[in-house]
Amino acid sequence: MKNNILVIGATGKTGSRVVKQLQNRGIEPRIGSRNATPGFDWNNKDTWVNSLDGIEKMYLTYYPDLAVPGAKEAIESLTYLAKEMGVKKMVLMSGKGETEAESCEQIIINSGIDYTIVRASWFNQNWSESFFLDPILSGQVALPMGDVQVPFVDAEDIAEVATEALLTENYNGKIIEVTGPELITFKDAVNCIAKASNRNLEFHDITLEQYVDDMKENQVPADFVWLIEYLFSHVLTNPENQKVSHDIENVLGRPASTFASFVSKTVQTGVWNQPVSHSV
């Protein structure tokens, strides 16, 4: 089964890892990104047809998030086209506790195509590859809701689950909820990283309004500011997002990775000890 699997978002946190998982099994998936050949661009529907040509299965992530305006319409259009072009299975990366994401899920669920929905909690890799990295590098981590408990999940675990869903029929028609094995707070996460990286990291609990104002002052793009505000105000506080699931263990036959194990591996890369970037 060569080259009939498409990974959309193949350069992202989970997509890149799904690509590696497939390659490790001798499968060379088609890369769904703007820089690939053929290229895939969410904002250019003309690219979709070439990307989907000959594809039977696809792993689907939407950047930056299924909650953003326009995501539902894009998922609807792509799902319709995928069915028209003979795609037989879709695995969707979704988010726990996101009403808008669930609307996108329903489009695929009702499409008539075999599907698996992978609903994830907040990623461990947000601390090493995303919006929590710069504060860690600065030594001053100012975040709202510092005491909310989150079952942070490892993107490696998500990718392994998604690959299983792609390659077997065992999870057709299923919603798999992927979380880490424990609940931790932002303060816990920062303390764990500080200890492992031998850094003096200070945590400051601020209001969401202060956090949003700070992002705006630092000229963070407006759509990203909107998304972060939404994630903190609607998703992080959703009781569904503060529950530990055992679906990773059920699928993979092993426990989900702990945040401490993620930190232990990541600190060896030196990512938390690199010089601070002063670019906006």
Side-chain angles (χ1 to χ4, degrees):
M1 188 185 295
K2 299 281 186 180
N3 213 37
N4 65 349
I5 297 178
L6 171 65
V7 178
I8 293 180
T11 59
K13 283 189 281 294
T14 63
S16 61
R17 290 169 168 88
V18 168
V19 169
K20 287 180 182 175
Q21 287 276 342
L22 292 169
Q23 289 172 338
N24 288 341
R25 300 188 188 207
I27 299 167
E28 198 61 48
R30 185 172 299 169
I31 303 300
S33 73
R34 282 178 293 185
N35 296 323
T37 303
F40 178 93
D41 186 346
W42 278 111
N43 297 316
N44 182 1
K45 290 184 180 180
D46 291 341
T47 67
W48 298 5
V49 173
N50 286 338
S51 293
L52 286 168
D53 185 35
I55 293 299
E56 292 186 7
K57 299 181 178 183
M58 57 194 292
Y59 176 69
L60 175 58
T61 66
Y62 186 85
Y63 182 83
D65 194 274
L66 289 174
V68 303
K72 183 178 178 182
E73 292 76 12
I75 296 296
E76 198 164 39
S77 296
L78 183 71
T79 302
Y80 177 83
L81 180 62
K83 186 173 183 179
E84 288 291 300
M85 294 190 66
V87 173
K88 295 180 172 57
K89 185 169 188 176
M90 300 175 72
V91 176
L92 176 69
M93 176 78 249
S94 185
K96 282 181 95 260
E98 292 185 29
T99 304
E100 289 79 1
E102 290 176 15
S103 296
C104 293
E105 294 173 7
Q106 286 302 315
I107 292 167
I108 292 175
I109 288 170
N110 295 323
S111 68
I113 301 173
D114 282 338
Y115 71 87
T116 305
I117 308 296
V118 181
R119 270 190 203 155
S121 184
W122 286 37
F123 298 176
N124 293 342
Q125 282 73 13
N126 286 340
W127 298 95
S128 59
E129 301 174 20
S130 194
F131 54 95
F132 294 151
L133 175 58
D134 281 347
I136 292 291
L137 295 179
S138 75
Q140 304 292 323
V141 184
L143 292 171
M145 305 177 192
D147 290 321
V148 172
Q149 294 189 314
V150 183
F152 283 102
V153 63
D154 200 289
E156 298 286 355
D157 285 354
I158 299 172
E160 201 170 332
V161 167
T163 302
E164 282 297 313
L166 270 173
L167 297 182
T168 75
E169 309 307 312
N170 300 339
Y171 305 101
N172 288 1
K174 305 281 188 185
I175 296 175
I176 303 173
E177 297 203 336
V178 289
T179 75
E182 78 262 287
L183 295 166
I184 65 171
T185 66
F186 289 151
K187 290 179 183 177
D188 294 332
V190 171
N191 289 336
C192 186
I193 293 168
K195 184 176 179 181
S197 61
N198 199 26
R199 298 273 314 282
N200 181 24
L201 302 178
E202 294 186 20
F203 184 89
H204 306 278
D205 205 340
I206 60 174
T207 67
L208 181 55
E209 186 178 22
Q210 288 173 315
Y211 191 47
V212 169
D213 287 344
D214 184 59
M215 285 191 288
K216 290 177 179 176
E217 285 175 16
N218 284 285
Q219 299 179 6
V220 173
D223 55 349
F224 191 75
V225 173
W226 178 91
L227 175 60
I228 297 301
E229 184 174 15
Y230 168 80
L231 291 174
F232 273 93
S233 61
H234 289 79
V235 180
L236 186 67
T237 54
N238 188 323
E240 287 303 310
N241 238 350
Q242 297 165 32
K243 296 178 181 177
V244 170
S245 162
H246 299 286
D247 284 0
I248 287 176
E249 186 168 1
N250 293 338
V251 174
L252 302 181
R254 61 161 177 81
S257 304
T258 64
F259 189 79
S261 68
F262 155 74
V263 170
S264 178
K265 292 174 185 174
T266 304
V267 76
Q268 296 174 33
T269 69
V271 68
W272 290 317
N273 295 94
Q274 62 183 310
V276 181
S277 169
H278 294 289
S279 62
V280 175

